[in-house]
Amino acid sequence: MSGKTKVRDIPSRRVLLTDPSQLPIDYSSTPGGTLFSTTPGGTRIIYERHELLQLRNSPLTRTPPKNLPKIAGVTSPSTTKGSPQPDSVNGQATIPEEKKCDEDPQFEMDI
Amino acid sequence: MAGRELGADLAGAENDRPNSASPQLSRAAVQEITETEKGGVPLNTPWTLYLDKSIRGATAAEFEANLRNIYTVTTVQSFWSVYNNIPGISDLSPKYSYHLMRNSRRPIWEDDCNRHGGTWRLKCLKKDTAHVWKELLLACIGEQWSDSVREGDDIVGLSVSIKDRDDIVQIWNNRSDLAEGSQATSKVKELLPTVNFQAEFYKPHQTHHAYEGHRSVESHQGQQAPRQFSPAN
């Protein structure tokens, strides 16, 4: 007879990073220092939206990966669509939620 | 005050402590590692992006043959590197879909790893699709779903399908038996408070009319792509 499994939340905390250099160099650690191997249930590497957006225009992201397969019209784009919104939203991590619908540049083809 | 370092203060306050509690690697070694890793910020798991063009009435095998593996991303930078350099949602023609799947999982219902899962299907207006897709992509690679699914379940993929009228966004989970009571759609609303979805419901893969059962799973096994990091097939 297995009794009801007691569900408890894994305690977690959010750590704010402002720069990739603040990440632990050891990939088995998560930012803030929890260890994968010793945390019950494992710890996920969690990133907030603005942290991800901060890296959107970092140098490595301007060009496609070198080994990106060529798919006509997809990874070798045939059209460049003028976006009504300039690319300047990139890196603005603090865009209010309400504005997101309007500011979202569907995609930047300017690189 | 200019140029004053917080670290100096700390060192002063705790004399017995060397400059920091960081690991014992030299600056040069750290630099080297950083360069080796190309400065990439690691994702919790790799994610693989696929493209397909739907064909009405396609079998699983036909679907599979049409499925293009675009790239497997392992860092935040490689994610953006791909995202920034492929057509955005508004440039995709009807019938095309993008799929972002955890690890090397393919967006095929019948695959072993997917058989017991399903998707939340969200119908969204064309004006919202690109925004919805981007925000949900970030939620996936940022692992924002963890608290929104039931214990034992996991979000394992995201698809967007461009249709003639409204588009369809799907969030894949691992276990359809744990879909009920999940907070996944609440999370979507939290992430996208301004978007009104035209419809939303959950559908286990096995309830699809076109679901082919175990047959195709076996035929897939032999030609399963390398586990990960394979750029294309």
Side-chain angles (χ1 to χ4, degrees):
Chain A
M1 298 290 167
S2 60
K4 257 198 165 171
T5 311
K6 201 175 165 204
V7 178
R8 280 182 305 161
D9 284 342
I10 296 165
S12 64
R13 74 194 165 103
R14 301 268 159 127
V15 180
L16 197 62
L17 302 185
T18 53
D19 188 272
S21 67
Q22 293 164 9
L23 280 165
I25 53 162
D26 180 354
Y27 284 3
S28 68
S29 305
T30 38
T34 35
L35 281 172
F36 254 130
S37 54
T38 56
T39 314
T43 303
R44 288 184 181 234
I45 308 176
I46 294 172
Y47 298 114
E48 301 294 337
R49 176 178 187 273
H50 68 268
E51 297 175 289
L52 297 169
L53 286 172
Q54 271 175 354
L55 292 168
R56 182 170 184 179
N57 270 354
S58 65
L60 285 170
T61 66
R62 307 275 170 98
T63 50
K66 282 195 180 61
N67 49 350
L68 190 71
K70 296 241 183 313
I71 303 175
V74 178
T75 54
S76 41
S78 45
T79 55
T80 302
K81 208 168 172 182
S83 169
Q85 306 282 339
D87 198 7
S88 58
V89 290
N90 294 319
Q92 283 185 17
T94 53
I95 297 151
E97 292 289 302
E98 303 76 48
K99 285 183 63 189
K100 283 192 303 191
C101 259
D102 303 322
E103 60 86 10
D104 187 50
Q106 315 267 349
F107 188 67
E108 292 82 27
M109 298 297 293
D110 56 338
I111 299 165
Chain B
M1 290 295 275
R4 184 169 152 184
E5 285 179 29
L6 185 60
D9 273 1
L10 287 175
E14 302 174 53
N15 282 332
D16 54 341
R17 220 172 131 213
N19 53 7
S20 78
S22 64
Q24 307 76 358
L25 281 170
S26 71
R27 191 171 282 266
V30 171
Q31 183 74 27
E32 193 182 336
I33 292 169
T34 307
E35 275 170 19
T36 309
E37 300 292 346
K38 301 202 169 147
V41 175
L43 298 176
N44 188 58
T45 68
W47 291 85
T48 305
L49 189 66
Y50 297 88
L51 174 83
D52 84 82
K53 185 182 182 190
S54 74
I55 301 165
R56 186 170 279 279
T59 63
E62 287 166 337
F63 177 83
E64 183 186 351
N66 275 294
L67 189 64
R68 297 299 302 266
N69 178 332
I70 297 179
Y71 205 76
T72 299
V73 299
T74 57
T75 65
V76 179
Q77 285 88 342
S78 61
F79 166 77
W80 285 122
S81 168
V82 173
Y83 180 93
N84 287 346
N85 293 286
I86 58 171
I89 294 303
S90 57
D91 292 329
L92 275 194
S93 306
K95 294 190 170 49
Y96 278 92
S97 299
Y98 278 138
H99 311 272
L100 183 82
M101 307 299 293
R102 194 185 284 284
N103 291 311
S104 57
R105 191 182 283 259
R106 306 183 306 172
I108 294 178
W109 305 326
E110 292 89 349
D111 276 3
D112 262 346
C113 55
N114 291 326
R115 283 194 302 139
H116 301 293
T119 62
W120 282 276
R121 297 167 70 90
L122 307 162
K123 186 188 270 192
C124 60
L125 297 175
K126 290 220 174 272
K127 70 177 176 68
D128 293 325
T129 310
H131 173 51
V132 170
W133 173 241
K134 190 180 94 177
E135 293 304 319
L136 297 186
L137 280 178
L138 298 185
C140 284
I141 65 168
E143 302 291 349
Q144 295 288 323
W145 302 102
S146 317
D147 300 334
S148 307
V149 294
R150 288 174 58 190
E151 195 176 347
D153 196 11
D154 197 10
I155 297 300
V156 295
L158 186 67
S159 299
V160 61
S161 302
I162 308 303
K163 305 283 185 188
D164 289 324
R165 280 201 61 184
D166 301 329
D167 299 327
I168 304 285
V169 171
Q170 295 182 70
I171 302 161
W172 297 58
N173 80 330
N174 224 3
R175 284 180 53 179
S176 55
D177 61 328
L178 295 178
E180 201 176 321
S182 163
Q183 300 299 306
T185 51
S186 311
K187 182 68 180 180
V188 171
K189 290 186 179 113
E190 182 192 318
L191 293 165
L192 296 154
T194 61
V195 174
N196 284 315
F197 292 100
Q198 303 306 293
E200 58 178 68
F201 61 94
Y202 182 83
K203 192 166 177 63
H205 302 317
Q206 296 196 10
T207 64
H208 282 280
H209 181 65
Y211 184 83
E212 294 184 18
H214 212 80
R215 179 207 65 79
S216 48
V217 176
E218 276 147 8
S219 68
H220 291 155
Q221 290 307 306
Q223 52 194 72
Q224 189 80 25
R227 230 183 73 73
Q228 57 194 40
F229 308 119
S230 63
N233 45 29

